[in-house]
Structures are given as structure tokens and as C-alpha cells.
Amino acid sequence: MYGTSACSLCDQAFDLLMSMPELAGLTLRVVDVATDAALTQRYGARLPVLALGSVELDWVFTAEKVRRLLRSAGERT
């Protein structure tokens, strides 16, 4: 997930992801875009962004959208 500190929307997205039992056992990597100018330019206005491979979900993503993203990733493997 791309985000940054002091971002209430990023906190909401993180809380949503942590509340989803189907994500148990998966690793969530949180990238702070404020540490990289290119990432800030790419994601700054869209935060938070959930990425899985080349697919990205901009906020506001829902649990159902995350589930669909996981299903589609499973179908590609």
C-alpha cells in the first residue's frame, strides 16, 4: 500500500485491510511516498493506493474491491 504518515485516509485504508480475515497470512508492505520524490509525484494526489502486481486500487476501495483484486490475482497465477 502506498501512503504516508499523518494521512487519515491511509489510516482508514490500513484499518480496513487489517479487519479482513481473508488477508491473514499475507504480507502488507506499506511504502511511505514522502521518502521518494518520484513516488510522491506518482501517488501523492491519489493516496492511499493499494497495489498488487501491476493492478492498483485508489482510495476509496472497499473490502469487496480488495477481494476482487485478490481473486483476479489468483486467476492469473
Side-chain angles (χ1 to χ4, degrees), residues 15 18 32 43 57 59 64 68:
D15 290 345
M18 292 299 102
D32 187 343
Y43 294 108
L57 291 177
W59 189 253
E64 184 53 38
R68 276 189 249 139

Side-chain angles (χ1 to χ4, degrees), residues 25-43:
L26 298 178
T27 301
L28 174 65
R29 190 177 101 186
V30 180
V31 177
D32 187 343
V33 301
T35 64
D36 183 295
L39 291 176
T40 300
Q41 184 172 358
R42 180 174 177 178
Y43 294 108

Side-chain angles (χ1 to χ4, degrees), residues 1-69:
M1 183 177 86
Y2 293 96
T4 192
S5 61
C7 168
S8 62
L9 298 177
C10 300
D11 293 340
Q12 289 176 38
F14 184 80
D15 290 345
L16 168 72
L17 295 171
M18 292 299 102
S19 74
M20 297 179 63
E22 56 267 64
L23 299 182
L26 298 178
T27 301
L28 174 65
R29 190 177 101 186
V30 180
V31 177
D32 187 343
V33 301
T35 64
D36 183 295
L39 291 176
T40 300
Q41 184 172 358
R42 180 174 177 178
Y43 294 108
R46 299 170 44 202
L47 295 178
V49 175
L50 182 63
L52 182 60
S54 62
V55 179
E56 297 178 344
L57 291 177
D58 291 5
W59 189 253
V60 175
F61 46 82
T62 63
E64 184 53 38
K65 287 181 182 178
V66 174
R67 286 183 197 104
R68 276 189 249 139
L69 174 66

